[in-house]
Amino acid sequence: MLNYLVKTIGNKKWLWFKNTNNYLQLDEALFQVFEKLEQQISIDEVVNWCAQIYNLRETDARKTVLKIDALFSEQLKEKTQIKKEEFVYKVPDSFFSSKNYLFNDFVFHIEYGDAQIETMLHPLFAHLEILDNESANQNLKLFFQDKTFVLNIDGKQIGIWPKNEDHIFKGQVFMALLNATYSKTEKDWVSVLHASAIGNDKSSVLFLGDSGNGKSTASALALASGLQLIADDFVPIDTNGQVLAFPAAISVKKQALEFLSLRFPELLKAKEYELKAMNKTVRYLAPQRLKNNSGRPVKALVCIQYTQDVDFELEAIDIHLAFQHLVVDSWLSPEEKNASFFMDWMAELPAYRLRYSNNEKMIAAIKKLLNDQ
Amino acid sequence: MKNKNIKTAKNKEITRKEALKKMGTYAAFTALGTMVLLSPKAAQAGSTAPEQPRRSSNW
């Protein structure tokens, strides 16, 4: 049985490795060398074949073959499973705070073990808080004990993470909320993208971009112009390639505050939080409540960038580059069928680079992409 | 002196390689083209939750 998948996308091959959940993009000629090595042909023979077919010097051919051999060996190596004995942590007798949140007719009761854990999550969901003590559909206890984060759901310890894996702990809490809301498990998601999803009732467009490029600001502008914010920063894609809504608030950086508060005056009164690791200060803007929480197909990927010296510019970009950008910045399911689907899904998506300083033109372009057949 | 320079250059190369790996990308250039290895993130959550320094001795 193969422990990798191969897709031909344009002039390249995209591979996915089961043992590492890594992806590889490579030229056809390099893949042919790998195929030879897979057939158990000796390195020397492959070097000779390569030198002859591609008219290379023997030293260049050898270097190439050895590089391919080393890279593939590393990716195809069987993972040694280290069985961790999981210690069951004692649930604290009392918690720092507890809150109820309502999303999609589902009530979550979350108990925070301390102020730090509350601050890690609550500002993102504060707009969903309900004060009445309705009976919750799910009870989450989040606490930190013996330098370890613990997630307990409905009395069961779901996972533990060391102090330096706070981002994984946070991701698992988000995932738990997502799964409960849509009655799914982790295997039912192809990916969770670090992007923003903007849409209407029928479709969506994904904004990609490095932190600081203005993804969230563009999302807030889209929201102000009547479009819907489906998800910001945590964009779940299901096994049909559709985006599902996730109601976390949009983070608004200090630089965008003055400008966005003209459209969202509530930001002026919003509490300010310091993201020390990222050296920035943010406030949170609640997204609107969507009437329709069903999945929306993705019409396009848009690498968005606010650039003062460009009025408006939209150009198609190479899907291989868009793929690189998306993969390294997102969580992708380690399930084989999901990895296969993800590559097919990505390969079909139109990808653009949008640079702008003219907000109206940016919004008009997004609306056009959403409505394009 | 010469050796020292070589060492510095090597160190720089390692740092660049490590930085790329950290970003989840590793590119290998060969006579027949390029291979780009991409590693997805281990966490599902985005990067925008606030943080506070831990005050308790537990940290």
Short mmCIF file of all heavy atoms in Angstrom, two decimals, chain B:
data_model
loop_
_atom_site.label_atom_id
_atom_site.label_comp_id
_atom_site.label_asym_id
_atom_site.label_seq_id
_atom_site.Cartn_x
_atom_site.Cartn_y
_atom_site.Cartn_z
N MET B 1 41.78 33.40 9.46
CA MET B 1 40.80 34.43 9.07
C MET B 1 39.82 33.89 8.03
O MET B 1 38.60 34.00 8.16
CB MET B 1 41.57 35.64 8.52
CG MET B 1 40.71 36.89 8.33
SD MET B 1 40.13 37.48 9.94
CE MET B 1 38.94 38.67 9.46
N LYS B 2 40.43 33.20 7.04
CA LYS B 2 39.62 32.65 5.96
C LYS B 2 38.61 31.64 6.52
O LYS B 2 37.42 31.66 6.19
CB LYS B 2 40.54 31.97 4.95
CG LYS B 2 39.93 31.87 3.57
CD LYS B 2 40.89 31.20 2.62
CE LYS B 2 40.19 30.87 1.33
NZ LYS B 2 41.07 30.06 0.48
N ASN B 3 39.18 30.76 7.42
CA ASN B 3 38.32 29.74 8.01
C ASN B 3 37.15 30.34 8.77
O ASN B 3 36.04 29.85 8.71
CB ASN B 3 39.12 28.86 8.97
CG ASN B 3 39.93 27.85 8.20
OD1 ASN B 3 39.67 27.66 7.01
ND2 ASN B 3 40.91 27.26 8.83
N LYS B 4 37.48 31.41 9.47
CA LYS B 4 36.44 32.08 10.28
C LYS B 4 35.29 32.55 9.38
O LYS B 4 34.12 32.40 9.71
CB LYS B 4 37.08 33.26 11.01
CG LYS B 4 36.31 33.67 12.25
CD LYS B 4 37.01 34.78 12.94
CE LYS B 4 36.15 35.34 14.05
NZ LYS B 4 36.74 36.52 14.63
N ASN B 5 35.69 33.10 8.21
CA ASN B 5 34.66 33.59 7.29
C ASN B 5 33.76 32.47 6.80
O ASN B 5 32.56 32.62 6.71
CB ASN B 5 35.32 34.28 6.08
CG ASN B 5 35.81 35.65 6.45
OD1 ASN B 5 35.39 36.18 7.49
ND2 ASN B 5 36.72 36.21 5.67
N ILE B 6 34.42 31.36 6.49
CA ILE B 6 33.64 30.21 5.99
C ILE B 6 32.64 29.77 7.05
O ILE B 6 31.48 29.55 6.78
CB ILE B 6 34.58 29.04 5.60
CG1 ILE B 6 35.35 29.44 4.34
CG2 ILE B 6 33.80 27.76 5.34
CD1 ILE B 6 36.50 28.52 4.00
N LYS B 7 33.12 29.72 8.29
CA LYS B 7 32.25 29.29 9.38
C LYS B 7 31.03 30.22 9.51
O LYS B 7 29.90 29.78 9.65
CB LYS B 7 33.05 29.28 10.69
CG LYS B 7 32.48 28.33 11.71
CD LYS B 7 33.37 28.27 12.90
CE LYS B 7 32.70 27.43 13.97
NZ LYS B 7 33.43 27.49 15.21
N THR B 8 31.31 31.52 9.40
CA THR B 8 30.22 32.49 9.54
C THR B 8 29.19 32.28 8.42
O THR B 8 27.99 32.27 8.66
CB THR B 8 30.78 33.93 9.47
OG1 THR B 8 31.90 33.98 10.29
CG2 THR B 8 29.74 34.94 9.91
N ALA B 9 29.71 32.10 7.20
CA ALA B 9 28.81 31.91 6.06
C ALA B 9 27.95 30.66 6.27
O ALA B 9 26.74 30.66 6.03
CB ALA B 9 29.62 31.79 4.78
N LYS B 10 28.61 29.58 6.76
CA LYS B 10 27.87 28.34 6.99
C LYS B 10 26.78 28.54 8.05
O LYS B 10 25.66 28.10 7.90
CB LYS B 10 28.82 27.25 7.46
CG LYS B 10 29.31 26.38 6.32
CD LYS B 10 30.00 25.17 6.86
CE LYS B 10 30.45 24.29 5.71
NZ LYS B 10 31.32 23.21 6.16
N ASN B 11 27.18 29.24 9.12
CA ASN B 11 26.22 29.49 10.18
C ASN B 11 25.01 30.24 9.66
O ASN B 11 23.88 29.95 10.01
CB ASN B 11 26.87 30.30 11.32
CG ASN B 11 27.73 29.41 12.17
OD1 ASN B 11 27.65 28.19 12.06
ND2 ASN B 11 28.56 30.01 13.01
N LYS B 12 25.31 31.23 8.77
CA LYS B 12 24.22 32.02 8.22
C LYS B 12 23.27 31.13 7.42
O LYS B 12 22.07 31.24 7.50
CB LYS B 12 24.78 33.12 7.31
CG LYS B 12 24.96 34.43 8.03
CD LYS B 12 25.32 35.53 7.07
CE LYS B 12 25.73 36.77 7.83
NZ LYS B 12 26.42 37.72 6.98
N GLU B 13 23.89 30.20 6.65
CA GLU B 13 23.09 29.32 5.80
C GLU B 13 22.18 28.44 6.67
O GLU B 13 21.01 28.28 6.40
CB GLU B 13 24.01 28.46 4.96
CG GLU B 13 23.28 27.81 3.79
CD GLU B 13 24.16 26.82 3.08
OE1 GLU B 13 25.38 27.04 3.09
OE2 GLU B 13 23.63 25.85 2.55
N ILE B 14 22.76 27.92 7.75
CA ILE B 14 21.98 27.07 8.64
C ILE B 14 20.82 27.87 9.22
O ILE B 14 19.69 27.43 9.24
CB ILE B 14 22.88 26.49 9.77
CG1 ILE B 14 23.81 25.45 9.15
CG2 ILE B 14 22.04 25.88 10.87
CD1 ILE B 14 24.99 25.09 10.01
N THR B 15 21.10 29.10 9.61
CA THR B 15 20.06 29.93 10.20
C THR B 15 18.91 30.14 9.20
O THR B 15 17.74 30.05 9.55
CB THR B 15 20.64 31.30 10.60
OG1 THR B 15 21.83 31.05 11.31
CG2 THR B 15 19.67 32.07 11.45
N ARG B 16 19.28 30.38 7.93
CA ARG B 16 18.26 30.61 6.92
C ARG B 16 17.42 29.35 6.72
O ARG B 16 16.20 29.38 6.67
CB ARG B 16 18.92 31.04 5.60
CG ARG B 16 17.99 31.84 4.72
CD ARG B 16 18.65 32.20 3.42
NE ARG B 16 19.95 32.83 3.58
CZ ARG B 16 21.05 32.42 2.94
NH1 ARG B 16 21.00 31.41 2.11
NH2 ARG B 16 22.19 33.04 3.12
N LYS B 17 18.13 28.22 6.64
CA LYS B 17 17.44 26.94 6.47
C LYS B 17 16.48 26.69 7.62
O LYS B 17 15.34 26.30 7.45
CB LYS B 17 18.46 25.80 6.42
CG LYS B 17 18.75 25.31 5.02
CD LYS B 17 19.62 24.08 5.10
CE LYS B 17 20.29 23.81 3.78
NZ LYS B 17 21.31 22.78 3.89
N GLU B 18 17.02 26.95 8.83
CA GLU B 18 16.19 26.71 10.02
C GLU B 18 14.97 27.62 10.02
O GLU B 18 13.87 27.21 10.36
CB GLU B 18 17.02 26.95 11.28
CG GLU B 18 17.87 25.76 11.64
CD GLU B 18 18.82 26.05 12.77
OE1 GLU B 18 18.87 27.21 13.24
OE2 GLU B 18 19.52 25.12 13.16
N ALA B 19 15.21 28.86 9.59
CA ALA B 19 14.10 29.82 9.55
C ALA B 19 13.02 29.34 8.58
O ALA B 19 11.83 29.39 8.90
CB ALA B 19 14.60 31.19 9.13
N LEU B 20 13.45 28.86 7.41
CA LEU B 20 12.48 28.37 6.43
C LEU B 20 11.70 27.19 6.99
O LEU B 20 10.49 27.09 6.83
CB LEU B 20 13.19 27.97 5.13
CG LEU B 20 13.57 29.12 4.21
CD1 LEU B 20 14.45 28.61 3.07
CD2 LEU B 20 12.33 29.80 3.64
N LYS B 21 12.46 26.28 7.65
CA LYS B 21 11.80 25.10 8.22
C LYS B 21 10.77 25.52 9.26
O LYS B 21 9.70 24.97 9.36
CB LYS B 21 12.83 24.16 8.84
CG LYS B 21 13.32 23.14 7.85
CD LYS B 21 13.94 21.96 8.55
CE LYS B 21 14.18 20.84 7.54
NZ LYS B 21 14.94 19.74 8.08
N LYS B 22 11.16 26.54 10.04
CA LYS B 22 10.27 27.03 11.07
C LYS B 22 8.99 27.57 10.46
O LYS B 22 7.91 27.45 11.01
CB LYS B 22 10.99 28.13 11.87
CG LYS B 22 10.76 28.01 13.34
CD LYS B 22 11.57 28.99 14.09
CE LYS B 22 11.30 28.85 15.57
NZ LYS B 22 11.98 29.80 16.37
N MET B 23 9.13 28.18 9.29
CA MET B 23 7.95 28.72 8.62
C MET B 23 7.16 27.62 7.92
O MET B 23 6.14 27.86 7.31
CB MET B 23 8.38 29.76 7.58
CG MET B 23 8.91 31.03 8.21
SD MET B 23 9.16 32.34 7.00
CE MET B 23 10.36 31.65 5.93
N GLY B 24 7.66 26.40 7.99
CA GLY B 24 6.95 25.27 7.40
C GLY B 24 7.30 25.01 5.95
O GLY B 24 6.68 24.20 5.30
N THR B 25 8.32 25.71 5.42
CA THR B 25 8.68 25.55 4.02
C THR B 25 10.14 25.13 3.93
O THR B 25 10.99 25.69 4.61
CB THR B 25 8.54 26.89 3.27
OG1 THR B 25 7.27 27.42 3.57
CG2 THR B 25 8.67 26.70 1.77
N TYR B 26 10.41 24.18 3.07
CA TYR B 26 11.80 23.82 2.80
C TYR B 26 11.94 23.64 1.30
O TYR B 26 11.23 22.82 0.70
CB TYR B 26 12.19 22.54 3.55
CG TYR B 26 13.52 21.99 3.11
CD1 TYR B 26 14.70 22.64 3.49
CD2 TYR B 26 13.60 20.87 2.30
CE1 TYR B 26 15.92 22.16 3.07
CE2 TYR B 26 14.82 20.38 1.88
CZ TYR B 26 15.99 21.03 2.26
OH TYR B 26 17.19 20.57 1.85
N ALA B 27 12.80 24.43 0.68
CA ALA B 27 12.97 24.33 -0.77
C ALA B 27 14.32 23.72 -1.09
O ALA B 27 15.33 24.10 -0.50
CB ALA B 27 12.85 25.71 -1.39
N ALA B 28 14.33 22.75 -1.99
CA ALA B 28 15.59 22.14 -2.44
C ALA B 28 15.73 22.43 -3.93
O ALA B 28 14.82 22.15 -4.72
CB ALA B 28 15.56 20.65 -2.18
N PHE B 29 16.88 23.00 -4.30
CA PHE B 29 17.11 23.33 -5.71
C PHE B 29 18.05 22.29 -6.31
O PHE B 29 19.08 21.97 -5.73
CB PHE B 29 17.74 24.73 -5.81
CG PHE B 29 16.87 25.78 -5.17
CD1 PHE B 29 17.09 26.18 -3.86
CD2 PHE B 29 15.79 26.32 -5.86
CE1 PHE B 29 16.28 27.12 -3.24
CE2 PHE B 29 14.97 27.26 -5.25
CZ PHE B 29 15.21 27.65 -3.94
N THR B 30 17.67 21.76 -7.46
CA THR B 30 18.50 20.73 -8.11
C THR B 30 18.66 21.09 -9.59
O THR B 30 18.01 22.01 -10.09
CB THR B 30 17.83 19.35 -8.03
OG1 THR B 30 16.76 19.33 -8.98
CG2 THR B 30 17.29 19.03 -6.64
N ALA B 31 19.49 20.31 -10.26
CA ALA B 31 19.73 20.55 -11.69
C ALA B 31 18.47 20.29 -12.52
O ALA B 31 18.35 20.75 -13.65
CB ALA B 31 20.86 19.64 -12.16
N LEU B 32 17.52 19.54 -11.95
CA LEU B 32 16.30 19.21 -12.71
C LEU B 32 15.07 19.99 -12.27
O LEU B 32 13.97 19.73 -12.74
CB LEU B 32 16.00 17.71 -12.57
CG LEU B 32 16.90 16.75 -13.32
CD1 LEU B 32 16.42 15.32 -13.12
CD2 LEU B 32 16.92 17.07 -14.80
N GLY B 33 15.26 20.92 -11.37
CA GLY B 33 14.11 21.70 -10.92
C GLY B 33 14.09 21.84 -9.42
O GLY B 33 15.07 21.53 -8.72
N THR B 34 12.94 22.28 -8.90
CA THR B 34 12.84 22.61 -7.48
C THR B 34 11.83 21.70 -6.77
O THR B 34 10.81 21.34 -7.37
CB THR B 34 12.37 24.07 -7.33
OG1 THR B 34 13.19 24.88 -8.16
CG2 THR B 34 12.47 24.56 -5.91
N MET B 35 12.14 21.39 -5.55
CA MET B 35 11.18 20.67 -4.70
C MET B 35 10.84 21.58 -3.53
O MET B 35 11.76 22.12 -2.91
CB MET B 35 11.79 19.39 -4.13
CG MET B 35 12.20 18.37 -5.16
SD MET B 35 12.81 16.86 -4.39
CE MET B 35 14.45 17.32 -3.85
N VAL B 36 9.58 21.74 -3.24
CA VAL B 36 9.18 22.57 -2.09
C VAL B 36 8.39 21.70 -1.13
O VAL B 36 7.31 21.21 -1.47
CB VAL B 36 8.35 23.79 -2.54
CG1 VAL B 36 8.01 24.67 -1.34
CG2 VAL B 36 9.08 24.60 -3.58
N LEU B 37 8.96 21.51 0.04
CA LEU B 37 8.30 20.70 1.07
C LEU B 37 7.53 21.63 2.01
O LEU B 37 8.08 22.62 2.49
CB LEU B 37 9.35 19.90 1.85
CG LEU B 37 8.80 18.92 2.88
CD1 LEU B 37 8.11 17.74 2.20
CD2 LEU B 37 9.92 18.41 3.77
N LEU B 38 6.27 21.30 2.26
CA LEU B 38 5.40 22.18 3.04
C LEU B 38 4.83 21.44 4.24
O LEU B 38 4.27 20.35 4.09
CB LEU B 38 4.24 22.67 2.16
CG LEU B 38 4.65 23.32 0.84
CD1 LEU B 38 3.50 23.30 -0.15
CD2 LEU B 38 5.14 24.73 1.07
N SER B 39 4.97 22.03 5.40
CA SER B 39 4.43 21.40 6.62
C SER B 39 3.28 22.23 7.17
O SER B 39 3.47 23.39 7.53
CB SER B 39 5.52 21.33 7.70
OG SER B 39 6.64 20.69 7.20
N PRO B 40 2.10 21.62 7.25
CA PRO B 40 0.97 22.35 7.86
C PRO B 40 1.20 22.59 9.35
O PRO B 40 2.06 21.96 9.96
CB PRO B 40 -0.22 21.41 7.65
CG PRO B 40 0.24 20.34 6.74
CD PRO B 40 1.73 20.28 6.83
N LYS B 41 0.38 23.44 9.93
CA LYS B 41 0.50 23.74 11.36
C LYS B 41 -0.12 22.63 12.21
O LYS B 41 -1.04 21.95 11.77
CB LYS B 41 -0.22 25.06 11.66
CG LYS B 41 0.53 26.26 11.13
CD LYS B 41 0.17 27.50 11.91
CE LYS B 41 0.88 28.73 11.41
NZ LYS B 41 2.33 28.62 11.36
N ALA B 42 0.41 22.49 13.40
CA ALA B 42 -0.12 21.46 14.30
C ALA B 42 -1.38 21.93 15.02
O ALA B 42 -2.17 21.13 15.49
CB ALA B 42 0.93 21.10 15.34
N ALA B 43 -1.58 23.24 15.10
CA ALA B 43 -2.72 23.78 15.84
C ALA B 43 -3.77 24.32 14.88
O ALA B 43 -3.44 24.85 13.83
CB ALA B 43 -2.27 24.89 16.76
N GLN B 44 -5.03 24.17 15.28
CA GLN B 44 -6.11 24.66 14.42
C GLN B 44 -6.42 26.12 14.63
O GLN B 44 -6.99 26.75 13.75
CB GLN B 44 -7.40 23.85 14.69
CG GLN B 44 -7.32 22.43 14.22
CD GLN B 44 -7.02 21.48 15.35
OE1 GLN B 44 -6.50 21.89 16.37
NE2 GLN B 44 -7.35 20.22 15.19
N ALA B 45 -6.08 26.66 15.79
CA ALA B 45 -6.53 28.02 16.08
C ALA B 45 -5.64 29.06 15.43
O ALA B 45 -4.47 28.81 15.16
CB ALA B 45 -6.54 28.24 17.58
N GLY B 46 -6.23 30.19 15.21
CA GLY B 46 -5.48 31.31 14.66
C GLY B 46 -4.58 31.94 15.71
O GLY B 46 -4.33 31.37 16.77
N SER B 47 -4.12 33.13 15.41
CA SER B 47 -3.04 33.69 16.21
C SER B 47 -3.45 34.90 17.03
O SER B 47 -2.61 35.60 17.55
CB SER B 47 -1.93 34.11 15.26
OG SER B 47 -2.50 34.92 14.25
N THR B 48 -4.74 35.15 17.15
CA THR B 48 -5.09 36.47 17.68
C THR B 48 -5.66 36.50 19.09
O THR B 48 -6.25 37.48 19.48
CB THR B 48 -6.09 37.17 16.74
OG1 THR B 48 -7.17 36.27 16.54
CG2 THR B 48 -5.45 37.53 15.44
N ALA B 49 -5.51 35.43 19.84
CA ALA B 49 -6.03 35.49 21.20
C ALA B 49 -5.06 36.28 22.06
O ALA B 49 -3.86 36.19 21.91
CB ALA B 49 -6.19 34.10 21.78
N PRO B 50 -5.59 37.07 22.96
CA PRO B 50 -4.71 37.83 23.82
C PRO B 50 -4.02 36.93 24.82
O PRO B 50 -4.43 35.81 25.06
CB PRO B 50 -5.66 38.79 24.53
CG PRO B 50 -6.98 38.17 24.43
CD PRO B 50 -7.00 37.28 23.24
N GLU B 51 -2.97 37.42 25.38
CA GLU B 51 -2.28 36.63 26.38
C GLU B 51 -1.89 37.52 27.54
O GLU B 51 -1.75 38.72 27.39
CB GLU B 51 -1.04 35.97 25.80
CG GLU B 51 -0.10 36.98 25.19
CD GLU B 51 1.13 36.33 24.62
OE1 GLU B 51 1.72 35.50 25.31
OE2 GLU B 51 1.50 36.68 23.51
N GLN B 52 -1.74 36.90 28.66
CA GLN B 52 -1.31 37.63 29.84
C GLN B 52 -0.20 36.84 30.48
O GLN B 52 -0.21 35.62 30.44
CB GLN B 52 -2.48 37.72 30.83
CG GLN B 52 -3.47 38.79 30.47
CD GLN B 52 -4.48 38.96 31.58
OE1 GLN B 52 -4.54 38.17 32.52
NE2 GLN B 52 -5.28 39.98 31.49
N PRO B 53 0.77 37.54 31.06
CA PRO B 53 1.81 36.78 31.74
C PRO B 53 1.21 36.03 32.93
O PRO B 53 0.30 36.53 33.59
CB PRO B 53 2.79 37.87 32.20
CG PRO B 53 2.02 39.13 32.18
CD PRO B 53 0.94 38.98 31.16
N ARG B 54 1.70 34.83 33.13
CA ARG B 54 1.21 34.04 34.27
C ARG B 54 1.79 34.58 35.56
O ARG B 54 2.98 34.82 35.65
CB ARG B 54 1.62 32.59 34.11
CG ARG B 54 0.87 31.92 33.00
CD ARG B 54 0.01 30.81 33.55
NE ARG B 54 -1.11 30.61 32.64
CZ ARG B 54 -2.29 30.14 33.02
NH1 ARG B 54 -2.50 29.83 34.26
NH2 ARG B 54 -3.25 30.00 32.16
N ARG B 55 0.95 34.74 36.51
CA ARG B 55 1.44 35.24 37.78
C ARG B 55 1.64 34.11 38.78
O ARG B 55 2.47 34.16 39.64
CB ARG B 55 0.47 36.28 38.34
CG ARG B 55 0.84 37.68 37.86
CD ARG B 55 -0.24 38.68 38.22
NE ARG B 55 -0.80 39.24 37.00
CZ ARG B 55 -2.01 38.94 36.55
NH1 ARG B 55 -2.78 38.09 37.18
NH2 ARG B 55 -2.45 39.50 35.45
N SER B 56 0.89 33.06 38.61
CA SER B 56 0.98 31.98 39.59
C SER B 56 2.29 31.21 39.42
O SER B 56 2.87 31.19 38.35
CB SER B 56 -0.19 31.02 39.44
OG SER B 56 0.10 30.09 38.44
N SER B 57 2.72 30.58 40.49
CA SER B 57 3.98 29.84 40.46
C SER B 57 3.85 28.58 39.61
O SER B 57 4.82 27.91 39.33
CB SER B 57 4.38 29.46 41.87
OG SER B 57 3.33 28.71 42.44
N ASN B 58 2.62 28.29 39.24
CA ASN B 58 2.35 27.11 38.44
C ASN B 58 3.02 27.18 37.06
O ASN B 58 3.20 26.18 36.40
CB ASN B 58 0.82 27.02 38.27
CG ASN B 58 0.38 25.58 38.14
OD1 ASN B 58 1.21 24.67 38.19
ND2 ASN B 58 -0.90 25.38 37.99
N TRP B 59 3.40 28.38 36.61
CA TRP B 59 3.95 28.57 35.26
C TRP B 59 5.45 28.51 35.27
O TRP B 59 6.11 29.32 35.76
CB TRP B 59 3.47 29.90 34.68
CG TRP B 59 2.07 29.82 34.27
CD1 TRP B 59 1.00 29.88 35.10
CD2 TRP B 59 1.56 29.65 32.97
NE1 TRP B 59 -0.14 29.75 34.39
CE2 TRP B 59 0.18 29.62 33.06
CE3 TRP B 59 2.14 29.52 31.70
CZ2 TRP B 59 -0.65 29.45 31.97
CZ3 TRP B 59 1.32 29.37 30.62
CH2 TRP B 59 -0.06 29.33 30.75
#
